[in-house]
């Protein structure tokens, strides 16, 4: 007995300590892919280095600074700054340093251009908040040292380019002074700071760039005031608009004297245009104003005289000026014309002559050109050539040169809002989408190579061939559904309002579609994409239909702006239809009912708490009417600290009869005391999660019944004081309260208060448990807690005969209004990392054990077995508990290096982790997105239901053949021997 | 003299048939060796064969009881083996066929054999039970019980 238990013990330990998930070196890239993006480019600076590879340095709206290869668009290096460290400006200093100004102008950094290492960082403080400017004058020297001029926080700094030291500074403390431009005329030692004071006074400061001394201060007042930005038309002239947006003010401050001229726009353009805005540009002598319909380019011809040079109704984008010689400046202009864009490069002083005019075919799915950056190069015949970098409406980045798109980057994928999945088409006879790539010989050759690898006979070249064969396996990137359900489409909605379908096999873009409904239009000024829902998932009887997704968006940022629905076919990417709603969309509730074409019923709640049913068909209505009394909804008002439950009442009592609109009534509300609790996190179970069983067998054949409900809501509240940054409160005045609330009845099933804890709280809900992550102020460590909830009222179902004969009511439908008797078990553990996201694996039938997927602060995804978060863990588990697989309790959760799902990669700017079940029960698909994308397959209990990918079928075949041959040979031999023995 | 195949089954590998078949007239063309008289041998023939057959029947009955009792000898060994690693199941084949004979009463041995094997089976079942492999607990019947459906449905959350 003792020996046996010893063996069991050894067995248990070896199984529990061996990493559950790990990867061999040659398996990297086999089932996973990783894509790097940078986001929508805000600013681009071309490196003018003569030698070495041409590169462009960009800063983006995702807060990335990156150096890109100008030839191919690849990333040389990239840095993602923190969310509170927004980049204000970038430039290149001395040809080898990338200078960035960030955090509202308070941090200036210098990076080495070739490799992206940080050279220095300096912190710039100032008296008050203001606009910030970064200037890198080319010929302003200070003891052989180039000087950077930075205006930020109401202070002008001159900073050494070599080491970041502040050479001098000058404060602009006047209360109402708002800086508009900082100008450093090339070839002079002066700096002009111009701005407005008290919104009607124009102020000009002239400063000595050598020492920061104030040379002159002039001001002039304009009774009509100012609006918007100013445009610099020469080094000593700016153009501004008055507060009505109808009069142009040309202000020049030559030699420190302010003179001005007013020109009503109506004098320049005959028809009335309405209020205009100035498009900021730095082209000397020319500026542009834009009204709703028209863009007007205006030239300044000496002494403040203005002249219209061009008026266009096309969408237009202008680049900044590029100086190509001593006194010549060029700029690029891009105009749209149906499926083409026209690129023109002009000289600043010569509007009518074009240096370059090209037309480029442009995919309509990229939308409008938002930004243009121009760069020149010297052709072999010593003339100037131009290349432009353009940023499109879908956030993609393209390089145009010689009338062609040299490369393009789909950087819209850096800002994903929502993700859903779709199945691929079924492979049908005759309509095979896949190519026939392999002939028999190649198949055999491949398997022989594999066999050689297995038998360790392969040479390094063979190994490389095997590896490339595995990576390029066409099997994984086919466009049809596979038996294991590994091949799917990931449908992602980006912030730009573009929908992409990514293939899970290799991450390529199958189709992309810029939603028409998310296009700016008369009715919808600033549409925002909100969410994606699976609208139609055909299976069984509706196989012939294509699946589709529902994109819910809204016109404008306020919650009562009218909503827009679009339906997109996921096989083709075509927008099937779009609906402009006459009501707002505050909540979208996918209902657990589908109609005969497998369209899911959705309830849209508007701002007045009316529920609208979609699809608007009579069939959907009849299904809905049948379940009418059983449908409830709840709203979490996290600002007021109230959770309300509602039921549907009757048809809307509006002026227009709408049978798909329903009134609702309040049923219950949970009000959290605002002085002590603030909602920081709410989480529910995923709607599509499958739970295999309601019973949990514990040690000694005992049964515990899980309390499994789709209508449970986990709410975490913290003390309002403690909702700030970690460490901003003492442990005594901070706490965290966790609730489990039934969202049908409003019953609080469980409530627990933890003292001395602080957010942020990340939580995940699955089956009958919640795991949440927070900071413990007393222990100065992060912690994770688990709550498991069990149904006590079922606990006495222990009669074996009743269960054998099925005479129990454990699976009969239950109402939540019957009083539940629940018990909860919970436990807390220390955890080293702080988290960005948390998710749980999900499998097709819910049999496979679960793993938590933790998005760590280092932008990696860590898999942690749920077994480590089991409230039944004790320090000394009994024999029976050990056999059940309970791990002895430790105070902290282990981090096993092999269980990083992302292995050596990082998903920069990680925002979300999505898990999708494959058809194969053991396997789940994981998609992590941030600025980068990462996809892999996970098998939390290993692939117990299939052979591994590197299984050698050839070896199996050869073994079988050899065995059969051996059987025949030995049979013959034995027969012969028997005959001989008979003759003896 | 020809080599006899074992008619007695697995218990024996060979046997020699001593009964003389050479009395057939066809073998008579070989002359008898000098000094041999065939007549005396022919006289005793029937008595000897009867005696032989009785001995064989006795031997068969004895052997049948031996086979029937064989499991008993194994029981202790079996129990010990079960205790050691007993999750394997032995199949005992009943080999009473070769002993089938009109004169031999096989009911007794068969019953004993069955009883002893049942004893072994009972031991096995008891062993399985102690290992927890028999579905005698509630937990064995609920492990694949799907969760109960809920009548009500509620959705919602933080406003978009």
């Amino acid at each position: 007995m003792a020996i046996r238990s010893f063996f069991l013990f050894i067995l248990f330990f070896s199984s529990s300590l061996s990493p559950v998930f790990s990867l061999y070196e040659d398996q990297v890239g086999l089932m996973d892919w990783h894509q790097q993006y940078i986001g929508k480019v805000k600013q681009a600076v071309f490196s003018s280095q003569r030698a070495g590879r041409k590169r462009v340095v960009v800063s983006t709206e995702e807060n990335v600074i990156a150096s890109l290869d100008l030839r191919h668009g690849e990333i040389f290096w990239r840095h993602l700054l923190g969310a509170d460290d927004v980049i204000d400006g970038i430039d290149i200093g001395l040809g080898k340093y990338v200078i960035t100004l960030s955090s509202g102008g308070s941090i200036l950094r210098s990076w080495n251009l070739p490799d992206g290492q940080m050279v220095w960082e300096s912190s710039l403080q100032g008296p008050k908040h203001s606009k910030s400017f970064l200037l890198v004058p080319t010929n302003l020297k200070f003891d052989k040292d180039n000087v950077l001029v930075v205006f930020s926080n109401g202070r002008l700094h001159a900073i050494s380019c070599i080491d970041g030291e502040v050479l001098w500074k000058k404060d602009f403390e006047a209360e109402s002074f708002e800086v508009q431009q900082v100008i450093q005329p090339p070839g002079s030692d002066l700096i002009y700071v111009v701005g407005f004071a008290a919104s009607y006074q124009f102020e000009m400061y002239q400063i000595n760039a050598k020492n920061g001394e104030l040379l002159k201060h002039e001001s002039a007042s304009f009774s009509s005031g100012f609006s918007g930005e100013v445009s610099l038309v020469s080094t000593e002239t700016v153009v501004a608009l008055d507060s009505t947006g109808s009069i142009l003010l040309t202000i020049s401050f030559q030699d420190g004297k302010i003179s001005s001229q007013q020109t009503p726009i109506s004098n320049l353009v005959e028809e009335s245009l309405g209020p205009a805005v100035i498009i900021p540009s730095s082209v000397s002598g020319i500026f542009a104003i834009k009204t709703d319909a028209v863009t007007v380019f205006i030239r300044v011809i000496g002494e403040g005289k203005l002249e219209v040079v061009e008026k266009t109704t096309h969408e237009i984008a202008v680049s900044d000026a590029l100086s190509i010689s001593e006194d010549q400046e060029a700029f690029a202009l891009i105009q749209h014309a149906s499926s083409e864009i026209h690129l023109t490069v002009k000289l600043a002083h010569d509007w009518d002559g074009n240096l370059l005019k090209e037309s480029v075919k442009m995919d309509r799915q990229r939308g409008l050109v938002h930004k243009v950056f121009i760069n020149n190069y010297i052709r072999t015949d010593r003339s100037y050539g131009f290349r432009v970098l353009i940023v499109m409406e879908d956030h993609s980045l393209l390089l145009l040169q010689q009338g062609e798109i040299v490369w393009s980057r789909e950087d819209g994928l850096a800002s994903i809002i929502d993700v859903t999945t779709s199945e691929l088409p079924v492979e049908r006879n005759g309509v095979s989408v896949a190519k026939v790539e392999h002939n028999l010989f190649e198949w055999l050759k491949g398997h022989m190579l594999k066999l050689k690898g297995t038998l360790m006979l392969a040479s390094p070249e063979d190994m490389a061939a095997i590896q490339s064969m595995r990576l390029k396996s066409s099997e994984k990137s086919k466009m049809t559904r596979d038996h294991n359900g590994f091949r799917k489409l990931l449908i992602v909605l980006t912030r730009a309002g573009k929908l992409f379908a990514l293939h899970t096999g290799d991450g390529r873009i199958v189709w992309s579609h810029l939603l028409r409904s998310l296009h700016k239009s008369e009715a919808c000024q600033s549409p925002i994409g909100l969410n994606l829902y699976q609208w139609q998932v055909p299976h069984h009887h509706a196989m012939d239909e294509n699946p589709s997704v529902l994109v819910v968006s809204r016109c404008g940022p306020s919650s009562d702006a009218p909503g827009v629905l679009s339906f997109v076919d996921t096989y083709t990417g075509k927008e099937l239809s779009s609906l402009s709603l006459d009501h707002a969309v505050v909540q979208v509730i996918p209902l657990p009912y589908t109609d005969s074409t497998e369209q899911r019923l959705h309830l849209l709640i508007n701002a007045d708490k009316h529920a609208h049913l979609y699809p608007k068909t009579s069939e959907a209505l009849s299904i809905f009417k049948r379940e009418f009394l059983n449908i409830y909804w709840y709203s979490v008002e996290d600002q007021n600290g109230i959770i309300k439950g509602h039921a549907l009442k009757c048809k809307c009592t509006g002026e227009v009869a709408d049978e798909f609109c329903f009134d609702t009534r309040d049923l219950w509300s949970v009000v959290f005391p605002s002085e002590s609790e603030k909602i920081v996190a709410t989480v529910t179970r995923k709607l599509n999660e499958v739970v295999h069983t309601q019973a949990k067998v514990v040690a000694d054949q005992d049964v515990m019944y899980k309390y499994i409900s789709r209508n449970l809501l986990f709410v975490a509240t913290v003390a309002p004081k403690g909702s700030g940054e970690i460490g901003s409160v003492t442990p005594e005045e901070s706490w965290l309260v966790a609730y489990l609330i039934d969202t049908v009845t409003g019953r609080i099933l469980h409530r627990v208060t933890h003292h001395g804890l602080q957010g942020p709280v990340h939580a995940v809900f699955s089956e009958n448990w919640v795991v949440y992550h927070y900071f413990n102020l007393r222990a100065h460590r992060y912690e994770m807690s688990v709550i498991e909830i069990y149904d006590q009222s079922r606990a006495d179902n222990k009669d074996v005969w009743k269960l054998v004969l099925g005479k129990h009511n454990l699976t009969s439908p239950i109402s939540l209004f019957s009083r539940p008797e629940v018990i909860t078990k919970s436990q807390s553990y220390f955890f080293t990392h702080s988290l960005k996201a948390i998710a749980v694996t999900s499998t097709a039938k819910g049999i496979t054990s679960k793993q938590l997927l933790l998005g760590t602060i280092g932008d990696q995804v860590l898999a942690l077995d749920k077994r480590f978060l089991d409230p039944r863990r004790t320090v000394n588990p009994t024999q029976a508990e050990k056999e059940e697989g309970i791990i002895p309790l430790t105070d902290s959760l282990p981090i096993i290096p092999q269980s990083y799902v992302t292995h050596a990669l990082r998903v920069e700017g990680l925002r979300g982790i999505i898990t999708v079940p494959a058809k194969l029960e053991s396997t789940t698909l994981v998609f992590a997105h941030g600025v980068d994308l990462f996809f892999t397959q996970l098998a939390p209990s290993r692939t117990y239901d299939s052979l591994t990918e590197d299984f050698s079928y050839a070896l199996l075949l050869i073994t079988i053949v050899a065995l059969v041959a051996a059987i025949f040979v030995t049979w013959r031999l034995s027969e012969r021997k028997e005959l001989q023995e008979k003759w003896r | 003299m020809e080599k006899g195949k074992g008619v007695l089954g697995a218990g024996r590998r060979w046997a020699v048939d001593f009964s003389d078949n050479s009395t057939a007239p066809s073998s008579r063309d070989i002359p008898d060796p000098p000094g041999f008289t065939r007549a005396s041998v022919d006289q005793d023939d029937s008595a000897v064969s009867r005696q032989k057959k009785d001995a064989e029947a006795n031997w068969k009955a004895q052997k049948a009881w031996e086979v029937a009792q064989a499991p008993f000898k194994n029981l202790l060994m079996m129990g010990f083996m079960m205790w050691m690693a007993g999750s394997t199941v032995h199949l005992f084949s009943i080999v009473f066929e070769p002993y089938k004979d009109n004169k031999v009463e096989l009911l007794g041995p068969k019953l004993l054999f069955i009883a002893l094997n049942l004893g072994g089976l009972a031991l096995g079942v008891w062993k399985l039970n102690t290992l927890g492999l028999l579905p005698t607990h509630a937990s064995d019947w609920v492990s694949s019980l799907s969760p109960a459906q809920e009548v009500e449905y509620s959705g919602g959350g933080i406003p978009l």
Side-chain angles (χ1 to χ4, degrees), chain A residues 20 88 96 386 445 479 541 712 721 741 848:
Chain A
V20 176
D88 303 305
K96 57 183 177 182
F386 295 93
K445 211 172 87 183
M479 275 304 295
H541 51 274
L712 268 187
K721 263 189 174 177
I741 298 172
T848 308

Side-chain angles (χ1 to χ4, degrees), chain A residues 136-142 145-149 158 168 184-185 187-191 209-210:
Chain A
V136 183
T138 44
N139 46 7
L140 188 65
K141 289 250 161 86
F142 199 88
D145 184 358
N146 265 46
V147 175
L148 309 173
V149 178
W168 52 258
Q184 203 280 319
S188 76
D189 283 346
L190 298 173
I191 297 170
K210 293 276 177 204

Side-chain angles (χ1 to χ4, degrees), chain A residues 494-711:
Chain A
T494 65
R495 194 165 296 148
K498 197 172 187 181
L499 214 54
F500 288 90
L502 306 177
H503 195 290
T504 56
D506 51 4
R508 70 173 190 277
I509 296 167
V510 177
W511 53 259
S512 60
H513 180 78
L514 191 68
L515 289 170
R516 238 177 307 137
S517 55
L518 284 171
H519 234 51
K520 222 160 140 183
S521 65
E522 288 282 311
C524 199
Q525 276 302 320
S526 53
I528 314 164
L530 293 175
N531 268 325
L532 270 177
Y533 297 90
Q534 291 192 332
W535 179 252
Q536 195 176 13
V537 187
H539 57 278
H540 303 316
H541 51 274
M543 254 338 210
D544 294 333
E545 310 248 351
N546 287 4
S548 53
V549 290
L550 164 69
V551 185
V552 178
S553 43
R554 174 194 284 162
C555 294
S558 77
S559 67
D560 50 358
V564 182
L565 305 182
S566 339
F567 305 92
V568 181
D569 184 329
T570 62
Y571 285 176
T572 60
K574 294 253 155 39
E575 200 165 343
L576 298 172
S577 63
S578 76
L579 282 174
S580 286
L581 308 182
D582 51 357
H583 57 82
V585 181
V586 178
Q587 276 180 17
V588 181
I589 303 169
L591 297 174
Y593 317 110
T594 52
D595 68 7
S596 59
T597 57
E598 300 283 340
Q599 283 187 359
R600 187 162 292 278
L601 271 60
H602 284 71
L603 262 193
L604 271 60
I605 311 290
N606 70 6
D608 307 327
K609 292 184 178 171
H610 289 302
H612 299 263
L613 178 70
Y614 290 89
K616 290 195 172 190
T617 58
S618 56
E619 188 196 356
L621 193 65
S622 69
I623 295 169
F624 184 71
K625 285 251 175 78
R626 214 181 309 141
E627 301 289 344
F628 187 77
L629 287 174
N630 291 327
I631 296 170
Y632 299 82
W633 65 281
Y634 67 95
S635 55
V636 180
E637 293 166 23
D638 53 346
Q639 296 303 318
N640 311 331
I642 302 174
I643 298 177
K644 276 185 185 160
H646 315 267
L648 300 170
K649 201 164 66 179
C650 56
K651 289 229 175 74
C652 279
T653 50
E655 42 296 353
V656 192
D658 182 0
E659 53 178 345
F660 297 98
C661 168
F662 300 91
D663 266 344
T664 61
R665 65 194 158 95
D666 289 2
L667 270 189
W668 52 265
S669 59
V670 178
V671 182
F672 299 99
S674 61
E675 66 276 6
S676 64
E677 289 183 40
K678 183 179 185 298
I679 299 172
V680 286
T682 61
V683 59
T684 56
R685 268 180 60 194
K686 274 205 281 185
L687 183 65
N688 55 0
E689 191 190 45
V690 182
V691 182
H692 174 61
T693 174
Q694 56 172 298
K696 179 173 177 164
V697 180
V698 296
D700 295 326
Q701 273 84 40
D702 224 347
V703 185
M704 289 170 86
Y705 291 92
K706 301 171 188 173
Y707 184 80
I708 292 167
S709 168
R710 277 182 303 189
N711 303 318

Side-chain angles (χ1 to χ4, degrees), chain B residues 4 9 26 33 38 40-41 44 58 61 68 71 76 78 85-86 94 98 108 110 115 117 124 139 153 157:
Chain B
S26 64
R38 184 166 293 276
S40 59
V41 177
D44 292 340
N58 280 339
L76 265 180
M78 229 170 62
I94 307 167
K110 276 184 181 169
N117 271 308
S139 59
Y153 178 79

Side-chain angles (χ1 to χ4, degrees), chain A residues 531 554 586-587 590 630 632-634 636 687 693-694 701 703 709-711 743 800 804 810-811 813-817, chain B residues 83 127 131-132 135-139 141-160:
Chain A
N531 268 325
R554 174 194 284 162
V586 178
Q587 276 180 17
N630 291 327
Y632 299 82
W633 65 281
Y634 67 95
V636 180
L687 183 65
T693 174
Q694 56 172 298
Q701 273 84 40
V703 185
S709 168
R710 277 182 303 189
N711 303 318
T743 54
V800 182
V804 173
L810 290 172
T811 47
I814 48 163
S815 167
L816 289 165
F817 289 100
Chain B
W83 178 82
K127 179 66 202 172
L131 280 175
T136 51
H137 291 90
S139 59
W141 298 93
V142 295
S143 57
S144 60
L145 215 58
S146 57
Q149 282 280 317
E150 281 172 317
V151 177
E152 293 89 359
Y153 178 79
S154 168
I158 294 176
L160 294 174

Side-chain angles (χ1 to χ4, degrees), chain A residues 77-205:
Chain A
W77 54 261
R78 179 179 64 152
H79 294 293
L80 178 69
L81 304 188
D84 52 352
D85 194 12
V86 179
I87 302 165
D88 303 305
I90 58 166
D91 212 330
I92 292 179
L94 288 176
K96 57 183 177 182
Y97 299 119
V98 177
I99 314 289
T100 62
L101 183 68
S102 60
S103 273
S106 48
I107 298 175
L108 189 69
R109 292 191 185 94
S110 167
W111 316 82
N112 194 10
L113 180 60
D115 58 5
Q117 303 245 9
M118 190 159 81
V119 184
W120 50 258
E121 178 184 281
S122 41
S123 159
L124 309 175
Q125 304 303 327
K128 58 167 194 178
H129 187 74
S130 76
K131 273 191 189 178
S132 46
F133 295 91
L134 168 69
L135 301 183
V136 183
T138 44
N139 46 7
L140 188 65
K141 289 250 161 86
F142 199 88
D143 291 345
K144 289 182 189 167
D145 184 358
N146 265 46
V147 175
L148 309 173
V149 178
V150 176
F151 190 98
S152 68
N153 294 322
R155 183 179 281 178
L156 186 69
H157 307 259
I159 291 156
S160 158
C161 192
I162 306 272
D163 55 7
E165 208 177 307
V166 177
L167 303 171
W168 52 258
K169 54 195 174 197
K170 168 91 185 77
D171 282 1
F172 292 84
E173 279 173 67
E175 262 305 295
S176 57
F177 179 69
E178 273 179 56
V179 67
Q180 291 297 332
Q181 281 290 345
V182 178
I183 306 143
Q184 203 280 319
S188 76
D189 283 346
L190 298 173
I191 297 170
Y192 292 104
V193 176
V194 297
F196 306 140
S199 78
Y200 59 87
Q201 191 137 329
F202 181 81
E203 304 256 343
M204 187 280 292
Y205 297 86

